[in-house]
Amino acid sequence: KAGVTQTPRYLIKTRGQQVTLSCSPISGHRSVSWYQQTPGQGLQFLFEYFSETQRNKGNFPGRFSGRQFSNSRSEMNVSTLELGDSALYLCASSLGLAGGPEELFFGEGSRLTVL
Amino acid sequence: AQSVTQLDSQVPVFEEAPVELRCNYSSSVSVYLFWYVQYPNQGLQLLLKYLSGSTLVKGINGFEAEFNKSQTSFHLRKPSVHISDTAEYFCAVSDLGSARQLTFGSGTQLTVLP
C-alpha cells in the first residue's frame, strides 16, 4: 500500500513569509504527527492530530500550527518565517489506537530553507 | 520529562564486524523505547521497539537491542554489519500516556567501511 506522502519535498522561502506543508497518511491511519529535524536541535515533536483534533503539542511557538481534515490528511503552517525554521519537517502516520504504542510510519519529509 | 543520550555521534566500522550503538535515557515514569534508522534523503524507519517483557528485543535487518532498567540503557547491536547498514540511527522514548510523542536522541551516524 502507498506510504506517507509529503508535499512539497523541497521549498525555499524568505524571512517573514508563511508556508504550508501537506501530509497524506497511509490509508486507514487516523493519527498524524509532525516532527522538525534540524542539525542543531535534532528531531523534535511538533504536534499530533487524530480525528481532526490536536491531541498532543510540543514546545513550539504559536507560529507553528496544524490541522487535520476529515480524510485524515494533515497540513502544518508556519507563519512569519525565521531563519531558524529551516529544517526537514517529517510527518508520521499511525492507526491512532488508544493505549499502547504504535509503529509510526514516516514520510520522506519536506525540506524548508528560509533565506 | 524524558531525555535520550546517544553517546557516539559517529561510529565507523568495517564490513562484517560487530557493532554496538549506545543509548541511555532518563525518565521519571515508565517508558517505551525505540530504535529508528534514517537513510539519506529518506524518512525514519522503525528497527525495533521495547514495550515490556523480555529485555532482549529483535528487530529487522538482523539488529537487536537489550533493555537494561538499572542502567537505563537500550543499546543496539548487530553481530555482522553490511555496507547497506550505513545510515543514521536514532534512539527514542515515549511515555505510556503519549505513545506517539517521541523524544529522540541526537543520532549516531554508522558508516560501514569496505
Side-chain angles (χ1 to χ4, degrees), chain B residues 17-47:
Chain B
V19 70
E20 178 180 82
L21 306 183
R22 297 180 292 169
C23 172
N24 286 88
Y25 70 94
S26 172
S27 177
S28 57
V29 298
S30 296
V31 296
Y32 300 124
L33 295 155
F34 307 83
W35 275 99
Y36 280 85
V37 61
Q38 185 176 35
Y39 299 100
N41 298 316
Q42 293 188 25
L44 282 73
Q45 180 184 10
L46 180 67
L47 276 178

Side-chain angles (χ1 to χ4, degrees), chain A residues 5 21 23 25 30 39 57 66 74 80 84 92 105-106 109 111 114:
Chain A
T5 304
L21 309 177
C23 173
R30 297 172 63 194
K57 188 178 190 305
S74 177
T80 319
F105 293 84
F106 284 82
R111 185 167 295 281
V114 182

Side-chain angles (χ1 to χ4, degrees), chain A residues 17-91:
Chain A
Q17 288 187 310
Q18 74 166 13
V19 66
T20 299
L21 309 177
S22 178
C23 173
S24 294
I26 291 171
S27 178
H29 285 192
R30 297 172 63 194
S31 169
V32 173
S33 303
W34 288 89
Y35 287 82
Q36 182 196 62
Q37 185 176 23
T38 62
Q41 300 298 316
L43 281 152
Q44 294 184 284
F45 173 79
L46 280 156
F47 28 64
E48 180 208 355
Y49 285 86
F50 176 80
S51 290
E52 303 178 64
T53 302
Q54 188 179 86
R55 191 153 63 171
N56 279 305
K57 188 178 190 305
N59 189 25
F60 278 81
R63 302 185 296 107
F64 291 82
S65 63
R67 60 178 175 168
Q68 187 180 35
F69 302 95
S70 58
N71 62 357
S72 294
R73 189 178 71 85
S74 177
E75 290 180 347
M76 67 162 284
N77 183 276
V78 188
S79 62
T80 319
L81 284 166
E82 300 176 359
L83 295 179
D85 297 333
S86 293
L88 180 67
Y89 290 88
L90 291 165
C91 164

Side-chain angles (χ1 to χ4, degrees), chain B residues 13 15 19 21 30 41 43 45 49-50 64 71 77 94 104 109:
Chain B
V13 63
E15 194 173 18
V19 70
L21 306 183
S30 296
N41 298 316
Q45 180 184 10
K49 60 181 181 280
Y50 173 78
E64 63 181 32
Q71 296 186 7
R77 303 185 183 101
S94 71
F104 284 90
Q109 174 64 43

